[in-house]
Every structure is written in structure tokens, then in C-alpha cells.
Amino acid sequence: MSWRWALARRVAALAAGSGASGAAQAQRLLTTSSGAGAALLGRQHLPLASQIRSKVVGCRGAAFMSSRWLHDAQYQVRQDGDSRSQEHRDPFELVADDLSLVADRLRSMVAAEVPKLASAAEYFFKVGAEGKKFRPTVLLLMASALKFPLSESTEGGVLSILADKLRAPHLNIAEITEMIHVASLLHDDVLDDADTRRGVSSLNLVMGNKLSVLAGDFLLSRACVALAALGNTEVVSLMATAVEHLVTGETMQISTSREQRRSMEYYLQKTYYKTASLISNSCKAVAVLAGHTAEVSMLAYEYGRNLGLAFQLIDDVLDFTGTSASLGKGSLSDIRHGIITAPILYAMEEFPQLHEVVDSGFDNPANVELALDYLQKSRGIERTKELAREHANRAIKAIEALPDSDDEDVLTSRRALIDITERVITRTK
């Protein structure tokens, strides 16, 4: 629960249960809020604490600590907390401190004895090349959204230590997930012969394919070490499955048959493996580490799964509608590599003659232009966006189905996760 709400409840319990002695204890409790308690309440809470303190200090005995005032104080705290949680707050700013910590720790974790390997491994963890930090942000918000309230009777110092201890494994999952993700990017860029990534030259272009592959392997090994240190076999299994799916999805992409290239079902399964599995299993791992039930863990998984699918569907749209500068990589990258995505699949449904173009491949630039002409005449882009919206709505429903909470931080984090979902389907880069 929020500290303001917890403070009001504690004052109420002391005053109502112990007469004049309780009122004195309540007064002392509020007085200490200007010292160590203030750090816990936060500066923005001090005006409210002062208001409550003035009411208590102004009383002379328990008779003046009326139940009516206590009820009003509690109601005021609840209302203030609700209004704060309703405020629109940038999701990335909410976890900015943790993101900075994760970034610093990642740079430390990928250090290697061999200078060239170290330089390659840290290539996308350097300041300015870290990307949007999308996955760590989602996971850190999920951890807050699933937070259990700590006991109000816990001493401040102990509470802070306990909160840090509970938060540590979730920071680890964010770091592990990001290392796995970057490793997959390094390997993908080699397979795709890419020359840009995150707006800079790809590692394979700068240092060659061999070192890129080795750097990806090195990141995976570091992720495994960090994963083993968590000591949770279910979480190890979840993250290992995500890595397996990354390999499976990439294999599905480079070894499609004629029928598979035309199949929306095949495309969505491949998309789940390549993109959505990592974020969905990571979200589930957060829930497992927090000690939640299987039902809540599956809601976290469903959020990540549908968010990941929506993210990739919009990515596939932007490959046709975005610019190289905005995407941080070449536009029309997929179709030029012969990869068929949702917009083209939908266009094929409207224009069966596009099947022949797809079957003949896109080594010939004329076929690329012809496919783009059909796509422009079709509703392929619109239908892909509609499908992304469907998955986004499912992700939002998963968050809304989480157990009720009156904790301000929990509610704020859940709204931030919904906000991120909306951002995913309205982004332009």
C-alpha cells in the first residue's frame, strides 16, 4: 500500500485501540515522519503528513481523535492516492532509475578478458547504442504491477532492505532478457547480412561475421550464468524455452516451403517464436519470482505474448511505411530478403495473382515493385494494424484481469503497461 494510506491506517489503529496512550503514540509516529519516515514517505508526501500531524497535535487526548476525523483522513489518503495513480506518467520515466542501474550492470556483465571480444560484446550496450530499452521497461513495470504489499508494521530500514531484496531478481531478469535479445540481434544481422542496427553500423559490418557470432554466443553464456544464479528451476526452464524458440523461429524463417510462405498461421507461429516468446516467458518469470499463483503467472505471460505479437505486426507495417532513418535499419528489408509478412499475406488474399510473384522470389527488383503495387491497392496494411489492435486489446485485458490492488505503485505500473501497449500500436519507428 502507499505510505500515506499506511500512515493513516496506522494512526487510526493506534488512536482507536489505546485511548490517550494511543493518541500519544500516533502523535509520535507522525512526528518521526519529518526524519527517517520522511525519506520513506517522499518529499511529495510531506504536506499531507503535516496536515495529519497538525490535526493530531492539536488534539488533547483520545477524545479529540474522533472516529469521524480518522475516517475522513483515511478517505482523503485513498482519494489522493487514486488521483495520483490516474495521472498519466511516462512508462519509461517510472523505471528510469532502475533502467540506468540495469544499463550500468549490463556493461559490467559483458566485460571479457579478450579485448576484441569485449569490444564486440559491449557494442550495443554502450551509451547511445542501447536502443529503446523496451523489454527491460516492460519487465520492471510488470514487477511493480505484481508487487505484494509489505507489512505496515515493518520497520523503515528493514522495509527498505526487504524491498531491495525482492526487487533484485526482477532486475536480473531484465538484464538476462536484454542479453538474450541483443545476442539474437547479432546472430540475425549475420544471417540477414544487415549493415545497420539501431541507427548505427551493424556489428557484423564493423567487425565481421565471425566475431559477431562469437559475441552473441558470449552474451548467451553470460545470460546463462546470471540465470543459474537465480536458483529457480522454473525460471531457468522458461528462459531456456525462449532461447529455443528464438532458434526455432529463425530456422522457420529461412527454410519455408511454398505453402508455408503463403500461410498466416505459419507466419504468426514464427512471429511468436522470434519475438513474442522472449517477452512473454520473461513476464511469466517475473510473476514466478514474485511468488504468484499459476493463474496470475499466465496472465503475465498472456500480456507479454500479445504485446510481442502486436509489436512485431507493427514492425512489419513499418518495414513498408517507415524510413531507414526512423527505423534504424533499412526499410523494405524483409521483402528484399524474401521474407513474407502479414501485409503481403493479406494482400495475397485480395489479389491471388500476387501468389505467382511471391513464388518467383524477390531477387528481381521488378518483383519487389510489383508486390508493392499490389500492397498499395490492397488493405494489407490496414488489416495488419487491425490484427495488431486485437492483440493489444488482449494484452490490456490480461492486465485488467490481475488481482485487485489498492497499492498506488501497483495501479500506476499497470496503467503504464497499458500505456506501453497503446504506444506499441501507434508508434512510427
Side-chain angles (χ1 to χ4, degrees), residues 156-216:
V158 175
L159 186 66
S160 178
I161 294 172
L162 182 58
D164 289 344
K165 187 174 180 63
L166 292 173
R167 190 72 166 167
H170 298 135
L171 292 172
N172 294 147
I173 287 294
E175 293 155 4
I176 291 165
T177 300
E178 190 66 3
M179 283 191 285
I180 293 173
H181 171 60
V182 172
S184 73
L185 297 183
L186 296 179
H187 289 166
D188 284 357
D189 286 348
V190 170
L191 292 170
D192 298 340
D193 196 26
D195 54 14
T196 59
R197 171 71 69 176
R198 293 181 172 177
V200 298
S201 297
S202 61
L203 182 63
N204 53 297
L205 182 68
V206 175
M207 296 188 175
N209 287 342
K210 291 181 179 179
L211 201 53
S212 291
V213 171
L214 291 173

Side-chain angles (χ1 to χ4, degrees), residues 56-299:
V56 177
V57 173
C59 296
R60 293 296 182 267
F64 294 94
M65 292 284 289
S66 67
S67 59
R68 172 64 181 274
W69 176 78
L70 291 171
H71 171 79
D72 290 346
Q74 291 178 339
Y75 177 78
Q76 179 183 358
V77 172
R78 284 199 302 271
Q79 290 296 100
D80 187 56
D82 288 345
S83 64
R84 281 176 55 80
S85 62
Q86 291 282 359
E87 293 175 4
H88 177 82
R89 301 180 64 182
D90 182 81
F92 295 88
E93 286 299 320
L94 285 172
V95 292
D97 290 342
D98 281 343
L99 283 175
S100 179
L101 179 60
V102 166
D104 290 341
R105 285 170 36 161
L106 279 170
R107 284 188 283 271
S108 174
M109 292 169 73
V110 300
E113 295 180 10
V114 181
K116 271 200 170 182
L117 179 58
S119 180
E122 70 176 12
Y123 190 73
F124 286 121
F125 294 113
K126 293 183 293 187
V127 176
E130 301 157 298
K132 297 180 286 291
K133 302 179 183 177
F134 173 74
R135 288 160 188 81
T137 298
V138 169
L139 295 174
L140 292 171
L141 287 172
M142 181 62 74
S144 295
L146 297 176
K147 183 178 66 174
F148 283 115
L150 298 175
S151 172
E152 299 166 15
S153 62
T154 307
E155 292 291 335
V158 175
L159 186 66
S160 178
I161 294 172
L162 182 58
D164 289 344
K165 187 174 180 63
L166 292 173
R167 190 72 166 167
H170 298 135
L171 292 172
N172 294 147
I173 287 294
E175 293 155 4
I176 291 165
T177 300
E178 190 66 3
M179 283 191 285
I180 293 173
H181 171 60
V182 172
S184 73
L185 297 183
L186 296 179
H187 289 166
D188 284 357
D189 286 348
V190 170
L191 292 170
D192 298 340
D193 196 26
D195 54 14
T196 59
R197 171 71 69 176
R198 293 181 172 177
V200 298
S201 297
S202 61
L203 182 63
N204 53 297
L205 182 68
V206 175
M207 296 188 175
N209 287 342
K210 291 181 179 179
L211 201 53
S212 291
V213 171
L214 291 173
D217 292 345
F218 177 73
L219 292 179
L220 288 174
S221 69
R222 283 298 169 92
C224 288
V225 171
L227 191 56
L230 290 174
N232 187 304
T233 54
E234 184 177 0
V235 170
V236 170
S237 178
L238 288 169
M239 302 308 293
T241 297
V243 174
E244 177 192 346
H245 285 169
L246 284 168
V247 177
T248 301
E250 191 61 42
T251 304
M252 289 175 69
Q253 182 165 285
I254 65 177
S255 59
T256 54
S257 66
R258 176 182 173 183
E259 291 73 22
Q260 289 167 340
R261 281 160 62 86
R262 298 179 175 187
S263 170
M264 179 64 77
E265 181 181 358
Y266 186 88
Y267 159 81
L268 288 174
Q269 186 63 51
K270 177 202 71 176
T271 298
Y272 166 73
Y273 284 150
K274 278 180 60 68
T275 304
S277 177
L278 178 58
I279 190 65
S280 60
N281 281 294
S282 297
C283 283
K284 186 176 181 180
V286 166
V288 170
L289 287 170
H292 281 282
T293 64
E295 180 181 4
V296 172
S297 296
M298 280 307 298
L299 288 172

